[in-house]
Amino acid sequence: MSFENKTFEKEIINIRRFIHQNPELSGKEYNTANFIEKKLEELKIPHKRLAKTGVAALLKGSLGQEKTVALRADIDALPLDEANGVPYKSVNKGVMHACGHDCHAAVMLGAAKLLNENKNNLKGGVKFIFQPAEEIAGGAKKMIKDGVLRNPKPDMILGAHICPWIKSGKVGIKYGAMMAAVDKFTVIVKGRVAHGAYPHLGKDAITAAAYFITSVQTVVSREIDPIDNAVVTIGKINGGAAYNIICDEISMVGTVRSVNKKARRAVKKSILNKLNGLESSFGVKCKIVYESYDAPLINSKEITEICHNSANEFYGKDNVIVLENPSMGGEDFASYLEEIPGNFMYIGSSNGAQTSYPWHHCSFNVDEKALPQAAKYIAYTVEKILNGK
Ligand code: NI
């Protein structure tokens, strides 16, 4: 595989710019999927549409099908107005690639091109998963439901995310838990209305809700093993009618983050217990809708080691950062890891102020030099895995 190729670099950057300029929201990535299919057709890699706006492609190596490695790129954008003044600025008002998913798609098409050029020397297959709707945490599950992990079932899956707090030319590797499970809960506390001067005649939903909010602060500090990480945040609260009326209904919405299944279960159980306690203490009625979004993202030790070694070889040891702590953000790549082992890593993309804005910022941008390099690194790693080098 030849790595010194200016045309290749330009091509990957152009692909990224096209996708960046034409962003589409989660579940609506029709044109993005069409564009990806067109690129796969140019490479003559067989592909099919899954989950409406997702694309799965399968490249078969000519030297046998011992193993299959899956690669995943997410392709959706965010509901933001782009603040960058670049020539490839979003033309879709209110929609922007502010999380780098444009880069992920471009990097994976680059890896597909390189692996395809080398398919006569490959002992296995590569499944490319272009996944929609990562931002609303559901795309991965839909792709899995539509059979993306069948025929053939991949032996492992690799994924990467552009990272604005790692310098371009470097990668971040994390062993074990990398990102948190994401849950959402909606609580309704129902009381009974009364005059504010006669609270004993009503059931005050505000006092009960306030008690609940205070008591959930002890879930993490008193009920979760201090070695495990978890967060409980209530981000929204609504209710009440006037200064002199006992409030009869409060609604609250919050999120729970946890880095393993044990902590995830324990937080949920504790929140439910507290609501039961609230009913008996305050005479209110509580309803909860508890939704489980992303699973915790746990990297396989063995596959992380493979990616780590390959990164040391490709980027050089000094450019590989081994991350100590998991992030409490979520990533639906975790859904694949519930089915097959794999590794998720960070590709550094910052190079100065313009490329150091955080994810989901209206000025988010990347050092594009990182993209062709990442494509080559991924192709290099896949080749090592398939050919047992
Ligand atoms: Ni993202």
Side-chain angles (χ1 to χ4, degrees):
M1 205 180 296
S2 134
F3 287 161
E4 296 310 318
N5 186 342
K6 285 276 167 238
T7 329
F8 173 75
E9 296 186 356
K10 232 178 150 189
E11 192 181 343
I12 300 313
I13 291 169
N14 285 342
I15 289 174
R16 182 260 164 163
R17 290 185 177 188
F18 180 85
I19 300 174
H20 187 89
Q21 198 162 15
N22 299 279
E24 293 173 295
L25 289 175
S26 309
K28 299 193 165 65
E29 309 88 338
Y30 293 98
N31 293 329
T32 310
N34 288 343
F35 175 79
I36 289 164
E37 284 173 331
K38 204 179 87 201
K39 290 286 159 197
L40 290 166
E41 264 149 43
E42 283 169 22
L43 298 172
K44 299 195 174 59
I45 301 177
H47 55 84
K48 61 179 172 187
R49 196 59 90 85
L50 295 176
K52 281 199 187 117
T53 50
V55 180
L58 182 64
L59 173 70
K60 287 184 173 175
S62 307
L63 299 182
Q65 299 305 309
E66 271 171 47
K67 269 186 196 165
T68 304
V69 176
L71 299 177
R72 177 274 210 169
D74 41 13
I75 62 171
D76 53 330
L78 287 157
L80 276 176
D81 264 323
E82 176 158 16
N84 292 315
V86 291
Y88 51 91
K89 180 178 174 167
S90 166
V91 295
N92 296 337
K93 208 177 154 23
V95 188
M96 178 194 175
H97 270 293
C99 194
H101 299 188
D102 50 342
C103 304
H104 303 164
V107 165
M108 198 149 86
L109 282 168
K113 186 176 168 124
L114 295 172
L115 289 161
N116 191 50
E117 279 168 6
N118 201 34
K119 73 174 171 193
N120 290 340
N121 301 314
L122 292 181
K123 285 185 187 160
V126 191
K127 194 175 266 194
F128 301 94
I129 302 174
F130 295 90
Q131 181 213 299
E134 192 281 326
E135 296 292 358
I136 55 167
K141 279 190 185 139
K142 279 192 184 141
M143 292 295 276
I144 295 168
K145 193 164 162 262
D146 271 13
V148 80
L149 297 182
R150 295 196 295 265
N151 299 321
K153 181 176 178 178
D155 298 274
M156 63 179 74
I157 184 161
L158 309 182
H161 206 294
I162 283 295
C163 182
W165 45 264
I166 296 180
K167 277 215 161 75
S168 167
K170 293 181 187 280
V171 288
I173 299 279
K174 176 74 177 74
Y175 285 85
M178 181 169 182
M179 300 190 87
V182 179
D183 297 325
K184 176 186 169 191
F185 61 88
T186 307
V187 172
I188 309 257
V189 179
K190 272 210 164 283
R192 194 169 65 221
V193 76
H195 192 297
Y198 308 96
H200 58 294
L201 300 178
K203 301 285 180 198
D204 188 357
I206 287 182
T207 311
Y211 192 82
F212 172 72
I213 293 165
T214 308
S215 69
V216 292
Q217 304 311 315
T218 63
V219 173
V220 173
S221 72
R222 303 290 88 181
E223 295 178 57
I224 303 299
D225 185 333
I227 303 305
D228 297 333
N229 306 75
V231 176
V232 181
T233 291
I234 293 173
K236 189 177 166 187
I237 173 164
N238 269 315
Y243 86 103
N244 56 356
I245 299 174
I246 295 293
C247 167
D248 68 340
E249 186 171 312
I250 288 285
S251 67
M252 291 172 272
V253 188
T255 188
V256 173
R257 307 292 166 110
S258 45
V259 293
N260 61 40
K261 287 184 181 169
K262 190 177 89 193
R264 190 181 205 186
R265 273 195 306 270
V267 173
K268 181 175 179 180
K269 194 171 156 216
S270 170
I271 287 177
L272 298 180
N273 281 342
K274 290 193 188 312
L275 288 176
N276 283 335
L278 211 63
E279 291 193 337
S280 44
S281 307
F282 292 87
V284 293
K285 287 275 169 240
C286 299
K287 255 205 244 162
I288 183 165
V289 179
Y290 205 100
E291 295 163 272
S292 300
Y293 290 171
D294 299 328
L297 193 158
I298 317 277
N299 283 327
S300 134
K301 183 169 182 274
E302 195 196 344
I303 297 164
T304 305
E305 242 160 35
I306 296 172
C307 295
H308 188 180
N309 289 335
S310 160
N312 281 343
E313 290 165 21
F314 186 86
Y315 283 92
K317 221 171 171 214
D318 291 347
N319 293 320
V320 179
I321 300 164
V322 178
L323 302 165
E324 294 280 321
N325 298 316
S327 143
M328 297 315 278
E331 162 59 67
D332 81 354
F333 184 79
S335 297
Y336 303 104
L337 296 185
E338 294 213 294
E339 309 288 325
I340 52 173
N343 176 258
F344 195 69
M345 55 204 146
Y346 285 136
I347 305 289
S349 61
S350 82
N351 185 7
Q354 287 305 310
T355 50
S356 296
Y357 288 99
W359 292 303
H360 297 206
H361 191 285
C362 56
S363 295
F364 182 86
N365 207 350
V366 304
D367 178 8
E368 291 175 319
K369 281 206 302 288
L371 309 181
Q373 195 183 17
K376 290 170 188 174
Y377 161 62
I378 287 164
Y380 176 76
T381 306
V382 170
E383 202 186 315
K384 266 172 78 88
I385 293 168
L386 293 181
N387 290 358
K389 278 196 246 162

